[in-house]
Amino acid sequence: MKEFEKSDLGKFSYFLGMEFQITKQGTMLHQRRYVKEILKRFMMDDSNPTSSPIEPNLKLEKHESNDIFDVTLFKQIVGSLRYVCNKRPDISFSIRLVSRYMSEPKVSHKKVVKRILRYLKESINYGILFPRDSESKEAIVTYYLDDDWSEDKEDRRSTTSYFFQVFDA
């Protein structure tokens, strides 16, 4: 305090769109406020929620016959969603999939992005729990992987998403 002026702002609760909530189980990291802002910004706050971020077995292509969607708006939506997917592993695969089409998005790609937004509305209370000290001394690490194994018809690239779980939830 002799070198720099500083003040105590209290307990850490909101920073860069991330919210921290102290519970009996531990500290919960979520983005409720940020997701609400995204939904409002892209006029999806009154949309019907859905229970999954993407349709099963969905195949997207770069050169579909659909009309081109507004590139700037698509980049804004996907960019906002990419910030959320760092704290929400349940949507990271879907976001990585639509990120392939940033340069020339079609109306079909817009529909997928809207579905992801509708899923966020449904799952707005999801987050990551950092548990208090566990009774067991040994940490259990579980690894989950989602991969579409070269499903891109244009360049045969894969879209991969992963999630690590520490302890047992």
Side-chain angles (χ1 to χ4, degrees):
M1 296 206 36
K2 293 177 184 176
E3 297 285 328
F4 301 100
E5 183 179 327
K6 66 179 185 176
S7 58
D8 184 5
L9 300 176
K11 288 188 176 183
F12 192 62
S13 62
Y14 187 79
F15 181 70
L16 295 175
M18 297 178 285
E19 295 177 71
F20 298 87
Q21 183 178 7
I22 308 296
T23 66
K24 290 179 182 179
Q25 293 83 19
T27 302
M28 178 70 141
L29 167 63
H30 59 84
Q31 291 184 294
R32 260 182 241 130
R33 189 185 319 177
Y34 184 72
V35 169
K36 285 179 184 178
E37 290 171 8
I38 292 172
L39 293 171
K40 187 175 180 179
R41 177 179 176 193
F42 300 115
M43 294 174 279
M44 294 291 292
D45 49 342
D46 291 330
S47 64
N48 294 327
T50 187
S51 61
S52 65
I54 197 166
E55 293 176 23
N57 301 317
L58 177 71
K59 306 290 186 232
L60 294 175
E61 296 181 26
K62 287 183 181 180
H63 304 292
E64 294 181 0
S65 60
N66 294 345
D67 294 332
I68 294 178
F69 181 63
D70 181 1
V71 176
T72 305
L73 181 59
F74 190 81
K75 286 181 179 182
Q76 290 172 349
I77 296 170
V78 173
S80 298
L81 290 173
R82 287 183 68 86
Y83 187 69
V84 175
C85 82
N86 292 327
K87 289 74 161 178
R88 294 283 306 270
D90 55 330
I91 63 168
S92 79
F93 178 84
S94 306
I95 302 303
R96 289 179 182 177
L97 183 65
V98 295
S99 294
R100 293 180 183 172
Y101 308 101
M102 297 272 268
S103 62
E104 204 175 324
K106 308 290 187 195
V107 174
S108 61
H109 305 139
K110 176 189 86 163
K111 289 179 183 177
V112 176
V113 169
K114 282 189 165 190
R115 183 180 177 106
I116 296 169
L117 288 168
R118 290 176 41 226
Y119 173 73
L120 284 177
K121 183 175 183 180
E122 170 73 20
S123 61
I124 199 161
N125 292 320
Y126 287 12
I128 299 175
L129 177 67
F130 297 99
R132 292 193 186 276
D133 291 335
S134 177
E135 290 181 20
S136 72
K137 303 275 188 215
E138 190 174 315
I140 301 167
V141 178
T142 309
Y143 174 78
Y144 298 93
L145 174 71
D146 192 3
D147 197 334
D148 70 356
W149 298 103
S150 304
E151 285 295 321
D152 189 339
K153 293 179 182 177
E154 301 293 321
D155 57 15
R156 307 307 295 166
R157 289 187 181 173
S158 297
T159 299
T160 304
S161 184
Y162 54 86
F163 172 69
F164 289 94
Q165 179 179 343
V166 181
F167 296 109
D168 201 12

